[in-house]
CSV table of all heavy atoms in Angstrom, one decimal:
chain,number,residue,atom,x,y,z
A,1,VAL,N,125.1,-25.8,31.3
A,1,VAL,CA,125.0,-25.8,32.8
A,1,VAL,C,124.0,-24.7,33.2
A,1,VAL,O,124.3,-23.5,32.8
A,1,VAL,CB,126.3,-25.6,33.4
A,1,VAL,CG1,126.2,-25.5,35.0
A,1,VAL,CG2,127.3,-26.8,33.1
A,2,PRO,N,123.0,-25.0,34.0
A,2,PRO,CA,122.1,-23.9,34.4
A,2,PRO,C,122.9,-22.9,35.3
A,2,PRO,O,123.9,-23.2,35.9
A,2,PRO,CB,121.0,-24.7,35.3
A,2,PRO,CG,121.1,-26.1,34.8
A,2,PRO,CD,122.6,-26.3,34.4
A,3,SER,N,122.3,-21.7,35.4
A,3,SER,CA,122.9,-20.7,36.3
A,3,SER,C,122.6,-21.0,37.8
A,3,SER,O,121.7,-21.8,38.1
A,3,SER,CB,122.4,-19.3,35.9
A,3,SER,OG,121.0,-19.2,36.3
A,4,HIS,N,123.3,-20.3,38.6
A,4,HIS,CA,123.1,-20.5,40.1
A,4,HIS,C,121.7,-20.1,40.4
A,4,HIS,O,121.0,-20.7,41.3
A,4,HIS,CB,124.1,-19.8,40.9
A,4,HIS,CG,124.1,-18.3,40.7
A,4,HIS,ND1,124.8,-17.7,39.7
A,4,HIS,CD2,123.4,-17.3,41.4
A,4,HIS,CE1,124.6,-16.4,39.8
A,4,HIS,NE2,123.7,-16.1,40.8
A,5,ASP,N,121.1,-19.1,39.7
A,5,ASP,CA,119.8,-18.6,40.0
A,5,ASP,C,118.8,-19.7,39.6
A,5,ASP,O,117.7,-19.9,40.3
A,5,ASP,CB,119.5,-17.3,39.2
A,5,ASP,CG,120.1,-16.1,39.8
A,5,ASP,OD1,120.3,-16.1,41.0
A,5,ASP,OD2,120.4,-15.2,39.0
A,6,THR,N,119.0,-20.4,38.6
A,6,THR,CA,118.1,-21.5,38.2
A,6,THR,C,118.1,-22.6,39.2
A,6,THR,O,117.0,-23.1,39.6
A,6,THR,CB,118.5,-22.1,36.8
A,6,THR,OG1,118.4,-21.0,35.8
A,6,THR,CG2,117.6,-23.2,36.4
A,7,PHE,N,119.3,-23.0,39.7
A,7,PHE,CA,119.4,-24.1,40.7
A,7,PHE,C,118.6,-23.6,41.9
A,7,PHE,O,117.8,-24.4,42.5
A,7,PHE,CB,120.8,-24.3,41.1
A,7,PHE,CG,121.6,-25.1,40.1
A,7,PHE,CD1,122.6,-24.6,39.4
A,7,PHE,CD2,121.3,-26.5,39.9
A,7,PHE,CE1,123.3,-25.3,38.4
A,7,PHE,CE2,122.0,-27.2,38.9
A,7,PHE,CZ,123.0,-26.6,38.2
A,8,ASN,N,118.8,-22.4,42.4
A,8,ASN,CA,118.2,-21.8,43.5
A,8,ASN,C,116.6,-21.8,43.4
A,8,ASN,O,115.9,-22.2,44.2
A,8,ASN,CB,118.7,-20.4,43.9
A,8,ASN,CG,118.1,-19.9,45.1
A,8,ASN,OD1,117.9,-20.5,46.1
A,8,ASN,ND2,117.7,-18.6,45.1
A,9,ARG,N,116.2,-21.3,42.2
A,9,ARG,CA,114.8,-21.2,41.9
A,9,ARG,C,114.1,-22.5,41.9
A,9,ARG,O,113.0,-22.7,42.5
A,9,ARG,CB,114.5,-20.4,40.6
A,9,ARG,CG,113.1,-20.2,40.3
A,9,ARG,CD,112.9,-19.3,39.0
A,9,ARG,NE,113.4,-20.0,37.8
A,9,ARG,CZ,114.5,-19.6,37.2
A,9,ARG,NH1,115.3,-18.6,37.7
A,9,ARG,NH2,114.9,-20.3,36.1
A,10,VAL,N,114.7,-23.5,41.3
A,10,VAL,CA,114.0,-24.8,41.2
A,10,VAL,C,113.9,-25.5,42.6
A,10,VAL,O,112.8,-26.0,42.9
A,10,VAL,CB,114.8,-25.7,40.2
A,10,VAL,CG1,114.3,-27.2,40.3
A,10,VAL,CG2,114.7,-25.2,38.8
A,11,PHE,N,115.0,-25.4,43.4
A,11,PHE,CA,114.9,-26.1,44.7
A,11,PHE,C,114.1,-25.2,45.7
A,11,PHE,O,113.7,-25.8,46.7
A,11,PHE,CB,116.3,-26.3,45.2
A,11,PHE,CG,116.9,-27.5,44.6
A,11,PHE,CD1,117.9,-27.4,43.5
A,11,PHE,CD2,116.6,-28.8,45.0
A,11,PHE,CE1,118.4,-28.5,42.9
A,11,PHE,CE2,117.2,-29.9,44.4
A,11,PHE,CZ,118.1,-29.8,43.3
A,12,SER,N,113.9,-24.0,45.3
A,12,SER,CA,113.0,-23.1,46.2
A,12,SER,C,111.5,-23.4,46.0
A,12,SER,O,110.7,-23.3,46.9
A,12,SER,CB,113.3,-21.6,46.0
A,12,SER,OG,114.6,-21.3,46.4
A,13,ILE,N,111.2,-23.7,44.8
A,13,ILE,CA,109.7,-24.0,44.5
A,13,ILE,C,109.4,-25.4,44.5
A,13,ILE,O,108.2,-25.8,44.5
A,13,ILE,CB,109.3,-23.4,43.1
A,13,ILE,CG1,110.1,-24.1,42.0
A,13,ILE,CG2,109.5,-21.9,43.1
A,13,ILE,CD1,109.6,-23.6,40.6
A,14,LEU,N,110.4,-26.3,44.6
A,14,LEU,CA,110.1,-27.8,44.7
A,14,LEU,C,109.6,-28.1,46.1
A,14,LEU,O,110.3,-27.8,47.1
A,14,LEU,CB,111.4,-28.5,44.4
A,14,LEU,CG,111.3,-30.1,44.5
A,14,LEU,CD1,110.4,-30.6,43.4
A,14,LEU,CD2,112.7,-30.7,44.3
A,15,ASN,N,108.5,-28.8,46.1
A,15,ASN,CA,107.9,-29.2,47.4
A,15,ASN,C,108.8,-30.2,48.1
A,15,ASN,O,109.0,-31.3,47.5
A,15,ASN,CB,106.5,-29.8,47.2
A,15,ASN,CG,105.8,-30.0,48.5
A,15,ASN,OD1,106.4,-30.1,49.6
A,15,ASN,ND2,104.5,-30.1,48.4
A,16,PRO,N,109.3,-29.9,49.3
A,16,PRO,CA,110.2,-30.8,50.0
A,16,PRO,C,109.6,-32.2,50.2
A,16,PRO,O,110.3,-33.2,50.3
A,16,PRO,CB,110.5,-30.1,51.3
A,16,PRO,CG,110.3,-28.7,51.0
A,16,PRO,CD,109.2,-28.6,50.0
A,17,LYS,N,108.3,-32.2,50.4
A,17,LYS,CA,107.6,-33.5,50.6
A,17,LYS,C,107.7,-34.4,49.4
A,17,LYS,O,107.7,-35.6,49.5
A,17,LYS,CB,106.1,-33.3,50.9
A,17,LYS,CG,105.9,-32.6,52.3
A,17,LYS,CD,104.4,-32.4,52.6
A,17,LYS,CE,104.3,-31.8,54.0
A,17,LYS,NZ,102.8,-31.6,54.4
A,18,GLU,N,107.7,-33.8,48.2
A,18,GLU,CA,107.9,-34.6,46.9
A,18,GLU,C,109.3,-35.2,46.9
A,18,GLU,O,109.4,-36.4,46.6
A,18,GLU,CB,107.7,-33.7,45.7
A,18,GLU,CG,106.3,-33.6,45.2
A,18,GLU,CD,105.8,-34.9,44.6
A,18,GLU,OE1,106.3,-35.2,43.5
A,18,GLU,OE2,105.0,-35.5,45.3
A,19,LEU,N,110.3,-34.4,47.2
A,19,LEU,CA,111.7,-35.0,47.2
A,19,LEU,C,111.8,-36.0,48.3
A,19,LEU,O,112.5,-37.0,48.1
A,19,LEU,CB,112.7,-33.8,47.4
A,19,LEU,CG,114.2,-34.2,47.3
A,19,LEU,CD1,114.5,-34.9,46.0
A,19,LEU,CD2,115.1,-33.0,47.5
A,20,GLU,N,111.2,-35.7,49.5
A,20,GLU,CA,111.3,-36.7,50.6
A,20,GLU,C,110.6,-38.0,50.2
A,20,GLU,O,111.1,-39.1,50.5
A,20,GLU,CB,110.6,-36.1,51.8
A,20,GLU,CG,110.5,-37.0,53.0
A,20,GLU,CD,111.8,-37.3,53.7
A,20,GLU,OE1,112.7,-36.5,53.5
A,20,GLU,OE2,111.9,-38.3,54.4
A,21,ARG,N,109.5,-37.9,49.5
A,21,ARG,CA,108.8,-39.1,49.1
A,21,ARG,C,109.6,-40.0,48.2
A,21,ARG,O,109.7,-41.2,48.4
A,21,ARG,CB,107.5,-38.7,48.3
A,21,ARG,CG,106.7,-39.9,47.8
A,21,ARG,CD,105.4,-39.4,47.1
A,21,ARG,NE,105.8,-38.7,45.9
A,21,ARG,CZ,106.0,-39.2,44.7
A,21,ARG,NH1,106.1,-40.6,44.6
A,21,ARG,NH2,106.3,-38.5,43.6
A,22,VAL,N,110.3,-39.4,47.2
A,22,VAL,CA,111.1,-40.3,46.3
A,22,VAL,C,112.4,-40.7,47.0
A,22,VAL,O,112.9,-41.8,46.7
A,22,VAL,CB,111.4,-39.5,45.0
A,22,VAL,CG1,110.2,-39.2,44.2
A,22,VAL,CG2,112.2,-38.3,45.2
A,23,PHE,N,112.9,-39.9,47.9
A,23,PHE,CA,114.1,-40.3,48.7
A,23,PHE,C,113.8,-41.6,49.5
A,23,PHE,O,114.6,-42.5,49.5
A,23,PHE,CB,114.5,-39.2,49.6
A,23,PHE,CG,115.6,-39.6,50.6
A,23,PHE,CD1,116.9,-39.6,50.2
A,23,PHE,CD2,115.3,-39.9,51.9
A,23,PHE,CE1,117.9,-40.0,51.1
A,23,PHE,CE2,116.3,-40.3,52.8
A,23,PHE,CZ,117.6,-40.3,52.4
A,24,ARG,N,112.6,-41.6,50.1
A,24,ARG,CA,112.2,-42.8,50.9
A,24,ARG,C,112.0,-44.0,50.0
A,24,ARG,O,112.4,-45.2,50.4
A,24,ARG,CB,110.9,-42.5,51.7
A,24,ARG,CG,111.1,-41.5,52.8
A,24,ARG,CD,109.8,-41.1,53.5
A,24,ARG,NE,110.1,-40.1,54.5
A,24,ARG,CZ,109.1,-39.5,55.1
A,24,ARG,NH1,107.8,-39.8,54.9
A,24,ARG,NH2,109.4,-38.5,56.0
A,25,LEU,N,111.5,-43.8,48.8
A,25,LEU,CA,111.4,-44.9,47.8
A,25,LEU,C,112.7,-45.5,47.4
A,25,LEU,O,112.9,-46.7,47.4
A,25,LEU,CB,110.7,-44.4,46.5
A,25,LEU,CG,109.2,-44.2,46.6
A,25,LEU,CD1,108.7,-43.6,45.3
A,25,LEU,CD2,108.4,-45.5,46.8
A,26,TRP,N,113.7,-44.6,47.2
A,26,TRP,CA,115.0,-45.0,46.9
A,26,TRP,C,115.7,-45.7,48.0
A,26,TRP,O,116.3,-46.8,47.8
A,26,TRP,CB,115.8,-43.7,46.5
A,26,TRP,CG,117.3,-44.0,46.2
A,26,TRP,CD1,117.8,-44.8,45.2
A,26,TRP,CD2,118.4,-43.4,46.8
A,26,TRP,NE1,119.1,-44.8,45.2
A,26,TRP,CE2,119.6,-43.9,46.2
A,26,TRP,CE3,118.6,-42.4,47.8
A,26,TRP,CZ2,120.9,-43.6,46.5
A,26,TRP,CZ3,119.9,-42.1,48.2
A,26,TRP,CH2,121.0,-42.6,47.5
A,27,ILE,N,115.6,-45.2,49.2
A,27,ILE,CA,116.2,-45.9,50.4
A,27,ILE,C,115.6,-47.3,50.5
A,27,ILE,O,116.3,-48.3,50.8
A,27,ILE,CB,116.0,-45.1,51.6
A,27,ILE,CG1,116.9,-43.8,51.6
A,27,ILE,CG2,116.4,-45.9,52.9
A,27,ILE,CD1,118.4,-44.1,51.5
A,28,ASN,N,114.3,-47.4,50.3
A,28,ASN,CA,113.6,-48.7,50.4
A,28,ASN,C,114.1,-49.7,49.4
A,28,ASN,O,114.3,-50.9,49.6
A,28,ASN,CB,112.1,-48.5,50.3
A,28,ASN,CG,111.4,-49.8,50.6
A,28,ASN,OD1,111.5,-50.4,51.7
A,28,ASN,ND2,110.6,-50.3,49.6
A,29,GLU,N,114.4,-49.1,48.2
A,29,GLU,CA,115.0,-49.9,47.1
A,29,GLU,C,116.3,-50.5,47.4
A,29,GLU,O,116.7,-51.7,47.2
A,29,GLU,CB,115.0,-49.1,45.8
A,29,GLU,CG,113.7,-48.9,45.1
A,29,GLU,CD,113.2,-50.0,44.3
A,29,GLU,OE1,114.0,-51.0,44.0
A,29,GLU,OE2,112.0,-50.1,44.0
A,30,ILE,N,117.2,-49.6,48.0
A,30,ILE,CA,118.6,-50.1,48.2
A,30,ILE,C,118.8,-50.8,49.5
A,30,ILE,O,119.7,-51.7,49.6
A,30,ILE,CB,119.6,-48.9,48.2
A,30,ILE,CG1,119.3,-47.9,49.3
A,30,ILE,CG2,119.5,-48.2,46.8
A,30,ILE,CD1,120.2,-46.7,49.3
A,31,CYS,N,117.9,-50.6,50.5
A,31,CYS,CA,118.1,-51.3,51.8
A,31,CYS,C,117.1,-52.5,52.0
A,31,CYS,O,117.4,-53.4,52.8
A,31,CYS,CB,117.8,-50.3,52.9
A,31,CYS,SG,119.1,-49.0,53.2
A,32,GLY,N,116.0,-52.5,51.2
A,32,GLY,CA,115.0,-53.5,51.5
A,32,GLY,C,114.3,-53.2,52.8
A,32,GLY,O,114.3,-52.1,53.3
A,33,LYS,N,113.7,-54.2,53.4
A,33,LYS,CA,113.0,-54.1,54.7
A,33,LYS,C,114.0,-54.1,55.8
A,33,LYS,O,114.7,-55.0,56.0
A,33,LYS,CB,112.0,-55.2,54.9
A,33,LYS,CG,111.3,-55.2,56.2
A,33,LYS,CD,110.4,-54.0,56.4
A,33,LYS,CE,109.8,-53.9,57.8
A,33,LYS,NZ,110.7,-53.1,58.8
A,34,TYR,N,114.1,-52.9,56.4
A,34,TYR,CA,115.1,-52.8,57.5
A,34,TYR,C,114.5,-53.2,58.9
A,34,TYR,O,113.4,-52.9,59.1
A,34,TYR,CB,115.6,-51.3,57.6
A,34,TYR,CG,116.6,-51.1,58.6
A,34,TYR,CD1,117.9,-51.4,58.5
A,34,TYR,CD2,116.3,-50.4,59.8
A,34,TYR,CE1,118.9,-51.2,59.4
A,34,TYR,CE2,117.2,-50.2,60.8
A,34,TYR,CZ,118.5,-50.6,60.6
A,34,TYR,OH,119.5,-50.3,61.6
A,35,ARG,N,115.3,-53.9,59.7
A,35,ARG,CA,114.8,-54.4,61.0
A,35,ARG,C,115.7,-54.2,62.1
A,35,ARG,O,115.6,-54.8,63.1
A,35,ARG,CB,114.4,-55.9,60.9
A,35,ARG,CG,113.3,-56.3,59.9
A,35,ARG,CD,112.9,-57.7,60.0
A,35,ARG,NE,111.8,-58.0,59.1
A,35,ARG,CZ,110.5,-57.9,59.3
A,35,ARG,NH1,110.2,-57.4,60.5
A,35,ARG,NH2,109.6,-58.2,58.4
A,36,GLY,N,116.6,-53.2,62.0
A,36,GLY,CA,117.6,-53.0,63.0
A,36,GLY,C,117.2,-51.9,64.0
A,36,GLY,O,116.0,-51.5,64.1
A,37,VAL,N,118.2,-51.3,64.6
A,37,VAL,CA,118.0,-50.1,65.5
A,37,VAL,C,117.8,-48.9,64.7
A,37,VAL,O,118.6,-48.6,63.8
A,37,VAL,CB,119.2,-50.0,66.5
A,37,VAL,CG1,119.0,-48.8,67.4
A,37,VAL,CG2,119.3,-51.3,67.4
A,38,VAL,N,116.8,-48.1,65.0
A,38,VAL,CA,116.6,-46.8,64.3
A,38,VAL,C,116.6,-45.6,65.3
A,38,VAL,O,115.6,-45.3,66.0
A,38,VAL,CB,115.2,-46.8,63.6
A,38,VAL,CG1,114.9,-45.5,62.9
A,38,VAL,CG2,115.1,-48.0,62.6
A,39,PRO,N,117.8,-45.0,65.5
A,39,PRO,CA,117.8,-43.8,66.3
A,39,PRO,C,117.1,-42.6,65.6
A,39,PRO,O,117.2,-42.5,64.4
A,39,PRO,CB,119.3,-43.5,66.4
A,39,PRO,CG,120.0,-44.7,66.0
A,39,PRO,CD,119.1,-45.4,65.0
A,40,ILE,N,116.3,-41.9,66.4
A,40,ILE,CA,115.6,-40.7,65.9
A,40,ILE,C,116.1,-39.5,66.7
A,40,ILE,O,116.0,-39.5,67.9
A,40,ILE,CB,114.1,-40.9,66.0
A,40,ILE,CG1,113.6,-42.0,65.0
A,40,ILE,CG2,113.4,-39.5,65.6
A,40,ILE,CD1,112.1,-42.2,65.0
A,41,ASP,N,116.5,-38.5,66.0
A,41,ASP,CA,117.0,-37.3,66.7
A,41,ASP,C,116.9,-36.1,65.8
A,41,ASP,O,116.9,-36.2,64.6
A,41,ASP,CB,118.5,-37.5,67.1
A,41,ASP,CG,119.0,-36.6,68.1
A,41,ASP,OD1,118.2,-36.0,68.9
A,41,ASP,OD2,120.2,-36.3,68.2
A,42,GLY,N,116.9,-34.9,66.4
A,42,GLY,CA,116.8,-33.6,65.7
A,42,GLY,C,118.1,-32.9,65.6
A,42,GLY,O,119.0,-33.1,66.4
A,43,LYS,N,118.3,-32.1,64.6
A,43,LYS,CA,119.5,-31.3,64.3
A,43,LYS,C,119.1,-30.0,63.8
A,43,LYS,O,118.3,-29.8,62.9
A,43,LYS,CB,120.4,-32.0,63.3
A,43,LYS,CG,121.7,-31.2,63.0
A,43,LYS,CD,122.5,-31.9,61.9
A,43,LYS,CE,123.7,-31.1,61.6
A,43,LYS,NZ,123.4,-29.7,61.1
A,44,GLU,N,119.6,-28.9,64.4
A,44,GLU,CA,119.4,-27.6,64.0
A,44,GLU,C,120.4,-27.2,62.9
A,44,GLU,O,121.6,-27.4,63.1
A,44,GLU,CB,119.5,-26.6,65.2
A,44,GLU,CG,119.1,-25.2,64.8
A,44,GLU,CD,119.1,-24.3,66.0
A,44,GLU,OE1,118.3,-24.6,67.0
A,44,GLU,OE2,119.8,-23.3,66.1
A,45,ILE,N,119.9,-26.6,61.8
A,45,ILE,CA,120.8,-26.1,60.8
A,45,ILE,C,121.0,-24.6,61.1
A,45,ILE,O,120.2,-23.8,60.9
A,45,ILE,CB,120.2,-26.2,59.4
A,45,ILE,CG1,119.9,-27.7,59.1
A,45,ILE,CG2,121.2,-25.7,58.3
A,45,ILE,CD1,119.3,-28.0,57.8
A,46,CYS,N,122.1,-24.3,61.8
A,46,CYS,CA,122.3,-23.1,62.5
A,46,CYS,C,122.2,-21.8,61.6
A,46,CYS,O,121.8,-20.8,62.0
A,46,CYS,CB,123.7,-23.1,63.2
A,46,CYS,SG,123.8,-24.3,64.5
A,47,GLY,N,122.7,-22.0,60.3
A,47,GLY,CA,122.7,-20.8,59.5
A,47,GLY,C,121.4,-20.4,58.8
A,47,GLY,O,121.2,-19.4,58.2
A,48,VAL,N,120.4,-21.3,59.0
A,48,VAL,CA,119.1,-21.1,58.3
A,48,VAL,C,118.0,-20.6,59.3
A,48,VAL,O,117.9,-21.1,60.4
A,48,VAL,CB,118.6,-22.4,57.7
A,48,VAL,CG1,117.2,-22.2,57.1
A,48,VAL,CG2,119.5,-22.9,56.7
Protein backbone atom coordinates (compact mmCIF):
# COMPACT_ATOMS: atom_id res chain seq x y z
CA VAL A 1 0.00 0.00 0.00
CA PRO A 2 1.47 3.40 -0.98
CA SER A 3 1.99 6.01 1.74
CA HIS A 4 -0.35 8.95 2.19
CA ASP A 5 2.41 11.17 0.78
CA THR A 6 2.44 9.09 -2.41
CA PHE A 7 -1.34 9.36 -2.85
CA ASN A 8 -1.16 13.11 -2.27
CA ARG A 9 1.81 13.61 -4.61
CA VAL A 10 0.28 11.62 -7.48
CA PHE A 11 -3.09 13.38 -7.36
CA SER A 12 -1.34 16.75 -6.94
CA ILE A 13 0.70 16.40 -10.15
CA LEU A 14 -2.02 14.62 -12.15
CA ASN A 15 -3.63 17.04 -14.61
CA PRO A 16 -7.33 17.28 -13.65
CA LYS A 17 -8.24 17.62 -17.33
CA GLU A 18 -6.78 14.14 -17.95
CA LEU A 19 -8.90 12.58 -15.21
CA GLU A 20 -11.93 14.56 -16.38
CA ARG A 21 -11.41 13.29 -19.94
CA VAL A 22 -11.44 9.61 -18.97
CA PHE A 23 -14.30 10.21 -16.53
CA ARG A 24 -16.43 11.53 -19.40
CA LEU A 25 -15.46 8.53 -21.54
CA TRP A 26 -16.55 6.21 -18.74
CA ILE A 27 -19.87 8.00 -18.18
CA ASN A 28 -20.54 7.84 -21.92
CA GLU A 29 -19.82 4.10 -21.85
CA ILE A 30 -22.24 3.39 -19.00
CA CYS A 31 -25.01 5.82 -19.93
CA GLY A 32 -24.86 5.85 -23.71
CA LYS A 33 -26.33 8.89 -25.47
CA TYR A 34 -28.25 10.82 -22.84
CA ARG A 35 -31.28 12.89 -23.92
CA GLY A 36 -32.94 13.95 -20.69
CA VAL A 37 -32.87 17.05 -18.47
CA VAL A 38 -29.35 18.29 -17.62
CA PRO A 39 -29.21 20.70 -14.66
CA ILE A 40 -26.00 22.74 -14.55
CA ASP A 41 -24.99 24.36 -11.28
CA GLY A 42 -21.95 25.41 -9.28
CA LYS A 43 -20.82 24.29 -5.83
CA GLU A 44 -18.16 25.80 -3.62
CA ILE A 45 -15.85 23.40 -1.75
CA CYS A 46 -15.68 25.49 1.39
CA GLY A 47 -12.50 24.05 2.90
CA VAL A 48 -10.35 24.58 -0.21
